[in-house]
Amino acid sequence: MKTSKTKEQAKIIIEKSIAAFGLPQNMKTDPQIMKSVIEELKLDDFRTKNKLMNKLFKDIISKPQKLQPMFDNIKKGLLLKHPAIIEFADLALKENWFKPSDHIIRSVHVMYILEVLTATMCNNHDFFIEVQDHYKNNEEKLGLNTRHIFRTLVHALEISRNLFIIAKAYTLDPLMIYFRIQRGLSKSHLTKKELDELYKNNDINYIEYKVLSPIHKNGLEHINELIRLNIYEAGITEYKNNLKINAISAYELSEDIKNNPPSTIFKRKSVIPEKNTDPFYASITKKENLFPVIKFNQNWISLYLTWNMAFVLGNLKNVDIILPKLLIPSIINAKSDNFMGARIISLWMTINHDIFRHYDKKEFLGPTNKTEMAIAWSKINKKYAFDLANRETHEDSKTLMKNYNRFFLHPIWNLLKLLTRYS
């Protein structure tokens, strides 16, 4: 669905939004803030064999880094791919919702390091493994070891009472393990014997064992079911938190996957923002890189992002570290078939960041009027959800709302029916 804004109008809205947040055109990172962010991410003791990343980590805590290349990529993605976000920004400017703050400045720094990590993990499997191992070691220090499901759940709830965050961690770990194993293979999936061996050696837990089992002919399509599960988890959360309008978008996104399942293959390719000119990306790409290609169309991706942004704003704390995962260039300006793989990695990094922050007894409640903003944003998203339903599932708004209301009469039961695929 196209926005009513012209390209020039959209450019002006983007520039005015950046200015309203108090972000100068020539902004650079602050090494002290970056050092603080890296410490909060538990990366201050991270060591890698990747010489480029070692140098970059040293540089970003010792001297300012230009932010303009990142901003340019974000602007490009917003302008070309995300009309609903432009519409919300236009409304926010009229309502004077965008204001400068220290949290905005910190978010930009989080965005910078998250993009560096996500992009490099997408393009370098060895670095992916190093980061994953580092975080698993840090989680174990907190008593979080997903190989021991129930013991870890008790520890997790002691750290954070946010069941949504805990549920996300449990459903993301299998996907990350799947990526790790699959990217190291030349075949489509693990054999049952190989999976049995991993489970026997406690390398994976029972949930991960079931998720990694090839339940479809090509052994890959169960990724779609996990993505549906993640979306429905969020949709049920916002429905129960009285952000029911936004849950319409969650319902449509999930049902579209069921009716139009994207094809999923692993392919050797570079994973970089579209039409970018930043030399950083050329420095991290590897010809032999294997990455999941999950072919969602751009209309679905655009609704997913704008829905998820409104969800975060209306339902979660720590929006200063959670919203950046949706705005980094590897997400906001992704090629459509790279989007979901990069999205899973950036989300996994962010969920870990949020858990570490809760453990350190820190939290940011967000702007006082964030619910008002989320409701206004949800109304914009609803229009795009109706359009996606009409385009992709050939449902008019009345049919979509009828099915949506039926699902949310018994949302937990319907979610459990999805979970039974892994029981």
Side-chain angles (χ1 to χ4, degrees), residues 33-34 41 49 74 121 135 139 148-149 176 196 201 215 222 226 251 263 269 275 317 329 349 358 376 387 398 410:
I33 296 176
M34 194 61 80
L41 281 162
K49 295 177 181 177
I74 292 170
M121 289 173 76
Y135 270 121
E139 287 171 1
H148 307 293
I149 299 172
M176 290 292 286
D196 289 344
N201 293 336
I215 63 173
H222 56 293
L226 272 175
Y251 176 81
S263 62
K269 68 195 310 278
K275 298 179 181 177
K317 300 172 185 177
M349 291 289 300
H358 278 288
D387 182 68
K398 287 183 180 179
H410 307 288

Side-chain angles (χ1 to χ4, degrees), residues 310-326:
F311 167 81
V312 169
L313 194 59
N315 295 277
L316 301 180
K317 300 172 185 177
N318 293 330
V319 295
D320 59 325
I321 65 171
I322 296 178
L323 276 177
K325 71 183 167 60
L326 301 168

Side-chain angles (χ1 to χ4, degrees), residues 29-47:
T29 60
D30 180 327
Q32 288 305 309
I33 296 176
M34 194 61 80
K35 184 177 180 182
S36 172
V37 169
I38 288 172
E39 288 172 354
E40 190 175 74
L41 281 162
K42 308 300 180 190
L43 289 170
D44 48 317
D45 62 344
F46 174 61
R47 299 295 177 266

Side-chain angles (χ1 to χ4, degrees), residues 402-413:
K402 179 182 176 181
N403 293 335
Y404 156 83
N405 286 322
R406 185 186 297 129
F407 178 89
F408 282 102
L409 275 175
H410 307 288
I412 302 301
W413 170 248

Side-chain angles (χ1 to χ4, degrees), residues 36-252:
S36 172
V37 169
I38 288 172
E39 288 172 354
E40 190 175 74
L41 281 162
K42 308 300 180 190
L43 289 170
D44 48 317
D45 62 344
F46 174 61
R47 299 295 177 266
T48 173
K49 295 177 181 177
N50 188 309
K51 293 180 180 178
L52 174 69
M53 295 306 291
N54 267 330
K55 182 179 184 307
L56 193 146
F57 268 83
K58 289 176 183 177
D59 287 347
I60 61 179
I61 62 172
S62 61
K63 55 187 177 184
Q65 305 294 309
K66 292 180 181 179
L67 287 165
Q68 195 60 49
M70 182 179 77
F71 286 158
D72 286 346
N73 259 315
I74 292 170
K75 291 178 193 175
K76 197 175 294 181
L78 288 170
L79 188 63
L80 299 177
K81 302 174 183 181
H82 303 291
I85 300 174
I86 299 291
E87 282 194 40
F88 172 72
D90 186 39
L91 175 63
L93 288 168
K94 291 172 182 174
E95 297 293 337
N96 199 29
W97 286 338
F98 291 164
K99 299 180 185 297
S101 80
D102 290 342
H103 293 291
I104 295 295
I105 300 298
R106 188 173 183 84
S107 286
V108 170
H109 286 71
V110 171
M111 206 179 299
Y112 182 89
I113 189 62
L114 183 60
E115 173 62 8
V116 166
L117 291 164
T118 300
T120 310
M121 289 173 76
C122 286
N123 287 283
N124 187 314
H125 187 50
D126 291 336
F127 185 75
F128 176 99
I129 291 172
E130 287 179 323
V131 175
Q132 191 182 33
D133 286 348
H134 179 80
Y135 270 121
K136 297 309 288 183
N137 288 336
N138 273 280
E139 287 171 1
E140 288 183 13
K141 290 176 185 177
L142 307 185
L144 306 178
N145 184 334
T146 55
R147 290 193 294 271
H148 307 293
I149 299 172
F150 296 108
R151 189 192 314 165
T152 295
L153 180 60
V154 171
H155 283 301
L157 290 172
E158 289 172 353
I159 294 170
S160 172
R161 292 291 172 180
N162 190 325
L163 285 171
F164 172 76
I165 293 295
I166 301 303
K168 271 284 183 285
Y170 270 86
T171 53
L172 278 172
D173 262 1
L175 277 171
M176 290 292 286
I177 289 172
Y178 183 79
F179 282 9
R180 176 175 181 148
I181 294 172
Q182 198 70 46
R183 290 174 78 183
L185 294 175
S186 58
K187 52 190 174 182
S188 63
H189 61 270
L190 291 167
T191 65
K192 188 175 185 304
K193 183 178 179 181
E194 289 168 328
L195 276 172
D196 289 344
E197 192 67 22
L198 287 169
Y199 183 55
K200 180 181 176 182
N201 293 336
N202 277 331
D203 292 323
I204 55 176
N205 64 37
Y206 179 73
I207 294 174
E208 291 161 347
Y209 173 80
K210 297 303 291 184
V211 170
L212 290 167
S213 298
I215 63 173
H216 294 279
K217 286 182 181 179
N218 69 1
L220 297 172
E221 291 176 7
H222 56 293
I223 289 179
N224 295 337
E225 299 300 329
L226 272 175
I227 295 168
R228 286 189 72 209
L229 193 61
N230 268 269
I231 294 170
Y232 267 137
E233 284 171 358
I236 291 169
T237 297
E238 60 190 347
Y239 189 89
K240 288 183 173 294
N241 289 347
N242 291 318
L243 201 62
K244 295 180 180 180
I245 298 175
N246 210 45
I248 296 169
S249 295
Y251 176 81
E252 170 53 27

